[in-house]
Amino acid sequence: MPSPPTRLRAAVIGTGAIVTGSHLPALAAHAERVELVAAVDIDAARLDAFREAAAAAGLPGVRGYTDLAAMLAEARPDLVLIGTPPSLHREQTIAALQAGAWVLCEKPLTLSLAEYDEIAAAEQATGVYASVVFQHRYGSGAVHARQLIASGELGAPLVAHCQTTWHRDTAYYAVPWRGRWATEGGGPTMGHGIHQYDLLLHLLGDWTEIRAMAARLVHDVESEDVSTALVRFASGAMATVVNSVLSPDEVSRIRIDCADATVELTHLYGHRNEDWVYTPRPGLDDEERVARWRTPAEDVPSSHTVQLGAVLDAYERGERPPGSGQEARRTIEFAAALYKSAFTGAPVRAGEIKPGDPYYEAMHGNHPDWSPSR
């Protein structure tokens, strides 16, 4: 790969709330490394408002487009950030890859394993990469916890809990693409809890087996509004995972009980060091060791800004970025396996869902009680 220019040329696809509220500040924070040259949106008024917001954030001169192909041909970005509804991610990611641009796309990157493998094939054909936004991995608290667990400093991981219990009302589902398999890919398993269980997988590594349940308890939607799962990891650790949009007391939480300590993260939409708590096992009397657990070298909040920095670092080194490849596929496979287990009532093992399996093509697996045509 040729040496990168002084500043990479970046473009955004979609100029709604997530791009304006999260990607734009990230681009502004890295303005010395990346130049925002273009934005695409089918809504001309929203596009104009974004360009004004970009100028106010110190990023003037952003060219506006209502056609993706025209933008890719004329602006020739090095990096494309995608913040459109999920049903558009596969098509737009592949178009950007084929234009020679790296991609950083909002979750979920795809609506199925089949779509993910199409993107992987496009990466292979073009030599550029697509990564997915899982910003919770990149806060210093998560980096520190992962290092402690991987090194064995906390002892072997044994028991874990992963909780995304949020609340969404009927007005939330009035947005046409929400709650539908074809446009959102699923319910809270795909659209909400995916951040927390991606972080759980990031901390604990490969999963091997899932047993799950799902239901529509409140909302009149195609997909679920709550799911639960029991998970076995390759290490032998066992976990529970809960994804809900029915919970008045909203919280995001991960707890991992290791042989020598419990590590717990409690937050809602983002974390910093103070949100991580380490509790030594009874009888462990080593103040210096415990102090190391509780004092990461730096305090960096989880954010799009820190993940964008990691992608830019990888670009400059010519390496596959974090949050891409098999690492990203594992999270999509986890979602597919959770749905398959929930809808069939049978345990699902890692690697089981392959081409020819209905859950490879769609998260609902054409199950008669859950498919869009029910």
Side-chain angles (χ1 to χ4, degrees), residues 275-323:
D275 300 315
W276 295 80
V277 176
Y278 290 84
T279 304
R281 63 169 170 77
L284 194 155
D285 186 18
D286 188 337
E287 293 183 4
E288 183 178 342
R289 183 181 177 192
V290 174
R292 289 198 305 270
W293 301 345
R294 295 173 174 167
T295 52
E298 55 184 351
D299 190 0
V300 178
S302 62
S303 67
H304 287 65
T305 298
V306 67
Q307 180 168 3
L308 177 58
V311 171
L312 296 174
D313 290 344
Y315 190 101
E316 291 169 4
R317 294 192 299 263
E319 300 174 353
R320 173 177 284 282

Side-chain angles (χ1 to χ4, degrees), residues 107-133:
K107 57 78 187 166
L109 179 57
T110 63
L111 303 187
S112 68
L113 279 169
E115 287 192 357
Y116 186 89
D117 288 346
E118 288 184 55
I119 288 176
E123 285 186 323
Q124 182 69 24
T126 61
V128 289
Y129 302 114
S131 53
V132 59
V133 174

Side-chain angles (χ1 to χ4, degrees), residues 34 76-77 94 99 105 112 123 146 182 196 228 241 276 283-285 365:
V34 62
R76 302 186 64 82
I94 290 176
C105 180
S112 68
E123 285 186 323
R146 188 170 190 249
Q196 301 317 309
T228 65
V241 176
W276 295 80
L284 194 155
D285 186 18

Side-chain angles (χ1 to χ4, degrees), residues 334-369:
F334 184 95
L338 192 156
Y339 280 122
K340 181 177 181 180
S341 178
F343 297 165
T344 65
V348 176
R349 290 169 175 79
E352 173 182 321
I353 302 176
K354 300 175 181 178
D357 187 312
Y359 291 89
Y360 177 78
E361 297 293 339
M363 294 294 176
H364 55 72
N366 290 319
H367 189 280
D369 296 332

Side-chain angles (χ1 to χ4, degrees), residues 9-188:
R9 295 169 58 81
V12 297
I13 304 175
T15 58
I18 191 64
V19 172
T20 301
S22 296
H23 289 282
L24 183 57
L27 288 161
H30 292 287
E32 79 286 355
R33 305 176 68 186
V34 62
E35 177 187 8
L36 180 59
V37 297
V40 180
D41 202 304
I42 59 174
D43 185 325
R46 188 166 57 203
L47 179 60
D48 289 342
F50 174 81
R51 294 173 66 201
E52 291 177 5
L59 304 175
V62 178
R63 296 180 63 184
Y65 294 85
T66 55
D67 181 81
L68 172 59
M71 184 278 288
L72 292 172
E74 295 176 17
R76 302 186 64 82
D78 304 300
L79 173 66
V80 170
L81 295 85
I82 298 177
T84 52
S87 60
L88 302 173
H89 290 175
R90 178 198 60 82
E91 177 184 354
Q92 292 172 342
T93 295
I94 290 176
L97 293 173
Q98 290 175 341
W102 284 33
V103 173
L104 179 58
C105 180
E106 279 296 324
K107 57 78 187 166
L109 179 57
T110 63
L111 303 187
S112 68
L113 279 169
E115 287 192 357
Y116 186 89
D117 288 346
E118 288 184 55
I119 288 176
E123 285 186 323
Q124 182 69 24
T126 61
V128 289
Y129 302 114
S131 53
V132 59
V133 174
F134 284 128
Q135 71 271 22
H136 296 326
R137 294 183 178 196
Y138 300 90
S140 55
V143 172
H144 183 62
R146 188 170 190 249
Q147 291 171 342
L148 291 174
I149 294 170
S151 69
E153 174 68 19
L154 304 180
L158 304 171
V159 182
H161 306 277
C162 178
Q163 174 185 353
T164 304
T165 43
W166 294 356
H167 189 270
R168 298 293 183 266
D169 59 16
T170 53
Y172 175 84
Y173 286 103
V175 177
W177 59 266
R178 290 178 176 152
R180 298 177 56 213
W181 295 108
T183 48
E184 193 171 20

